[in-house]
């Protein structure tokens, strides 16, 4: 009888394991250093890894410079996820009129009383990191078909370079073919659908790349537009209170240097990370359609049952609940400190 029960228990465990869904495989493409909501999104990404809800295959930078790469290294070291590969971008697009503080560079340059870097890194030579689009190709080539979700929260330059890339040592497929085979869905922070006269920043900085990706990308695309994040504000007053346990926290230092305190910041990028992670119930999802990007950077959505593009939004009730959820998650200690 005991042997029979053991066999039954083992069989039930096998069935449970067979039915257990695989966690989403994520590539996170970010412009750390431009807007501080990227830092909040990176925090949420790492917390979702802590919770076992996602597996991050790579973090790719679409903002050029030493600061963004070092800052991501600092964050991943702080959160204990140094096994996630990081990619850099060379000759990337940028806004020449941008006068905001590059918080990534600021934090990377912070020193302690002895003149040493305030926050430790795990990578010895940041210049030796692979180009982001090549890291994309490597990560996708090793993934199962139609298994990877890309969360892109910055410029479209890396995606365009991936899309245009030729066959190489990672895969005999072109970039477009590799994307079509390996990517399940692309989730991007981009666009303004309520006013064609407004040109959202991620689109505006690299319009040609945004046009190619939003119009031609061969997998389903979900857009988290400007209108969503502007209604979900992170309360700046929480920064010091929620992160005091660390003494000096790279997220808090980045936030405090970005704008004069106190200020509340829209959480545009966090929304894309959550949706990519499969937490879709926080949002209202549009019908399928198509997206056109004008030469000026307008994004025009047209409903079409044969389309593969959707965008997400939030009701006032959803916005309030989403804000509370994100604030609580960002306040929590990383698992390596618990």
């Amino acid at each position: 009888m005991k042997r029979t029960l053991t066999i039954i228990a083992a069989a039930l465990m096998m069935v449970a394991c067979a039915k257990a869904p695989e966690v989403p495989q994520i590539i996170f493409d970010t412009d750390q250093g431009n807007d501080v909501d990227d830092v909040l999104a990176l925090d949420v990404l790492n917390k979702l890894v802590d919770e076992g809800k996602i597996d991050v295959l790579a973090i790719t930078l679409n903002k050029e410079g030493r600061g963004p790469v070092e800052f991501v290294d600092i964050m991943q070291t702080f959160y204990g996820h140094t096994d996630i590969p990081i990619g850099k971008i060379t000759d990337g697009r940028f806004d020449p009129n941008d006068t905001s503080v590059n918080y990534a560079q600021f934090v990377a340059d912070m020193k302690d009383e002895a003149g040493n870097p305030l926050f430790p890194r795990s990578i010895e030579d940041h210049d030796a990191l692979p180009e982001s689009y090549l890291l994309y190709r490597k990560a996708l080539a090793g993934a199962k078909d139609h298994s990877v979700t890309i969360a892109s929260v910055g410029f479209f330059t890396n995606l365009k370079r991936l899309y245009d890339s030729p066959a190489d040592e990672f895969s005999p497929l072109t970039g477009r073919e590799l994307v079509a085979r390996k990517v399940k869905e692309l989730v991007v922070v981009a666009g303004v659908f309520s006013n064609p006269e407004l040109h959202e920043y991620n689109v505006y900085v690299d319009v040609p790349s945004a046009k190619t990706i939003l119009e031609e990308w061969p997998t389903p695309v979900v857009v988290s537009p400007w209108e969503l994040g502007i209604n979900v504000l992170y309360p700046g007053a929480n920064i010091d209170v929620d992160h005091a346990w660390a003494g000096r926290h790279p997220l808090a230092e980045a936030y405090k240097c970005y704008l004069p305190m106190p200020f509340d910041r829209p959480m545009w990028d966090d929304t894309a990370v959550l949706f990519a992670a499969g937490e879709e119930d926080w949002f209202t999802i549009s019908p399928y359609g198509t997206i056109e990007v004008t030469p000026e950077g307008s994004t025009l959505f047209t409903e079409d049952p044969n389309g593969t593009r959707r965008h997400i939004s939030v009701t006032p009730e959803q916005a309030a609940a989403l804000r509370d959820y994100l604030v609580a998650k960002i306040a929590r200690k990383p698992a390596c400190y618990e």
Side-chain angles (χ1 to χ4, degrees):
M1 180 67 177
K2 183 177 180 181
R3 175 178 171 79
T4 301
L5 291 175
T6 301
I7 293 173
I8 293 173
L12 290 174
M13 182 176 296
M14 290 177 65
V15 171
C17 291
K19 292 183 177 181
E22 294 185 359
V23 298
Q25 307 289 294
I26 306 291
I27 297 176
F28 182 54
D29 199 341
T30 172
D31 59 335
Q32 295 287 337
N34 280 330
D35 195 312
V36 79
D37 70 317
D38 283 80
V39 187
L40 302 176
L42 187 55
D43 175 279
V44 171
L45 186 88
N46 279 295
K47 301 290 177 55
L48 290 169
V49 172
D50 286 344
E51 296 165 12
K53 292 183 176 180
I54 61 173
D55 180 16
V56 179
L57 303 181
I59 298 173
T60 55
L61 274 299
N62 55 67
K63 180 177 174 64
E64 191 171 355
R66 175 179 63 85
V69 173
E70 285 197 39
F71 180 77
V72 172
D73 183 10
I74 287 169
M75 288 285 284
Q76 295 310 108
T77 302
F78 188 86
Y79 285 76
H81 295 144
T82 58
D83 58 324
I84 300 173
I86 300 170
K88 67 179 181 181
I89 186 170
T90 303
D91 296 327
R93 298 296 294 269
F94 64 95
D95 179 6
N97 300 313
D98 182 17
T99 58
S100 62
V101 172
N102 185 334
Y103 61 81
Q105 189 69 63
F106 179 89
V107 174
D109 289 340
M110 294 182 75
K111 308 293 184 184
D112 61 19
E113 294 180 355
N116 300 312
L118 180 61
F119 296 107
R121 285 83 159 152
S122 299
I123 298 171
E124 292 185 4
D125 185 0
H126 296 95
D127 292 334
L129 290 174
E131 287 292 318
S132 288
Y133 81 95
L134 292 176
L135 183 55
Y136 261 119
R137 289 189 58 86
K138 182 178 181 180
L140 291 176
K144 295 180 180 179
D145 289 356
H146 312 297
S147 66
V148 179
T149 299
I150 297 173
S152 177
V153 300
F155 310 142
F156 285 78
T157 316
N158 284 335
L159 296 174
K160 179 64 160 54
R161 291 180 180 180
L162 166 64
Y163 182 87
D164 291 338
S165 63
D168 58 10
E169 67 270 29
F170 302 120
S171 172
L173 302 177
T174 66
R176 191 185 192 286
E177 292 167 341
L178 188 60
V179 165
R181 178 174 294 185
K182 299 295 185 175
V183 174
K184 175 184 177 182
E185 189 170 62
L186 170 64
V187 183
V188 298
V189 174
V192 180
F193 296 119
S194 59
N195 186 347
E197 300 302 316
L198 295 179
H199 305 141
E200 191 271 332
Y201 192 71
N202 291 342
V203 174
Y204 167 77
V205 169
D206 192 353
V207 172
S209 294
K211 182 175 181 64
T212 297
I213 300 307
L214 290 176
E215 294 182 2
E216 301 178 19
W217 185 265
T219 78
V221 176
V222 176
V223 176
S224 180
W226 178 86
E227 297 95 324
L228 197 166
I230 199 71
N231 287 305
V232 185
L233 300 181
Y234 179 83
N238 283 46
I239 279 290
D240 281 330
V241 174
D242 291 343
H243 301 93
W245 62 268
R248 306 295 290 272
H249 194 301
L251 180 151
E253 298 301 332
Y255 195 98
K256 289 187 290 186
C257 86
Y258 183 65
L259 289 172
M261 290 288 287
F263 67 96
D264 297 345
R265 195 64 185 163
M267 289 188 281
W268 289 290
D269 297 350
D270 306 65
T271 62
V273 168
L274 274 186
F275 194 93
E279 299 201 21
E280 301 179 4
D281 292 342
W282 296 102
F283 308 97
T284 299
I285 308 174
S286 77
Y288 282 99
T290 61
I291 296 175
E292 175 190 354
V293 179
T294 69
E296 297 76 26
S298 300
T299 44
L300 310 176
F301 178 81
T302 303
E303 287 190 25
D304 181 347
N306 296 316
T308 57
R309 277 46 175 155
R310 295 178 294 169
H311 59 88
I312 54 178
S313 59
V314 285
T315 65
E317 293 76 18
Q318 286 175 318
L322 182 56
R323 170 192 174 277
D324 292 346
Y325 173 75
L326 288 171
V327 169
K329 188 178 291 291
I330 293 167
R332 203 182 67 236
K333 293 180 181 179
C336 59
Y337 291 95
E338 292 180 341

